[in-house]
Amino acid sequence: MNTMFDSEIAIINDALKSIDDKQMKKIIDDCENALRAGKKIIASGLGKNVPICEKFEGTMLSLGLNANFLHTNSAAHGDIGMVKDGDVVIVLSKSGTTEETVYLVNLLKKRDGVKWWIISFNAFAPLVKSTANNLVVNLEHEGDLWNIVPNNSTTINLIILQKIAIELSKRLGLELETDFKPNHPGGAIGKRLENG
């Protein structure tokens, strides 16, 4: 049995167990309500969280669910225009203190009818302490030499966002034939679905 990943698995497992179930349910509730109202879910991040947000957007779109990625840096340069009344914005920030992230959240606060969430690994960050809409993860270690490389934290962010997408697909009663298959005409998935 391969034991190379044992320490990483244990760290990630402990971090996921630290997430408040009520908060996790609440963020999914907010996303479900937004989608049922014809609104969208927006994931925002920067640095190594960019591909994590893009993966979430891709998963949501493949399910036929309305989602976008908002680069935290680009928001102040016009991209915040994608954020509309009733949308939910999920902001990823490990420290919860990054200048660009704080600036984005301050912009979101000025938009009526927009609900925003912060997913952070710092329970003491001002952004986390200033809102009830927070999902805090307790992470023991990033798994690198110096406990600084975004490694386990980005993996956990991916797991959280993918969990939100999958739970939304269940709650909304999505169907393979009508909701997923039309979005996958190509590739191995398309062939598998076409051949039944």
Side-chain angles (χ1 to χ4, degrees), residues 72 139 174:
T72 305
L139 179 62
L174 301 188

Side-chain angles (χ1 to χ4, degrees), residues 93-178:
S93 177
K94 182 183 175 185
S95 70
T97 61
T98 308
E99 184 178 335
E100 300 92 333
T101 304
V102 173
Y103 187 59
L104 170 59
V105 169
N106 286 332
L107 293 175
L108 293 173
K109 288 178 179 179
K110 297 175 183 176
R111 298 206 160 210
D112 292 333
V114 173
K115 187 161 282 190
W116 62 273
W117 277 80
I118 180 84
I119 298 179
S120 180
F121 295 75
N122 180 7
F124 304 102
L127 285 181
V128 173
K129 294 171 79 172
S130 67
T131 179
N133 291 340
N134 62 69
L135 207 62
V136 177
V137 184
N138 296 322
L139 179 62
E140 177 189 346
H141 203 279
E142 282 285 12
D144 64 289
L145 291 171
W146 314 283
N147 190 28
I148 197 168
V149 177
N151 177 49
N152 288 334
S153 60
T154 52
T155 300
I156 291 162
N157 279 336
L158 177 63
I159 292 170
I160 292 170
L161 290 181
Q162 291 299 109
K163 182 64 174 175
I164 290 171
I166 299 306
E167 285 302 312
L168 288 170
S169 71
K170 293 176 183 177
R171 289 187 182 200
L172 296 169
L174 301 188
E175 300 283 344
L176 180 65
E177 288 294 318
T178 57

Side-chain angles (χ1 to χ4, degrees), residues 47-63:
K48 301 305 182 286
N49 278 319
V50 168
I52 304 303
C53 293
E54 290 175 331
K55 173 63 171 78
F56 171 73
E57 177 192 34
T59 298
M60 292 284 284
L61 295 176
S62 74
L63 294 166

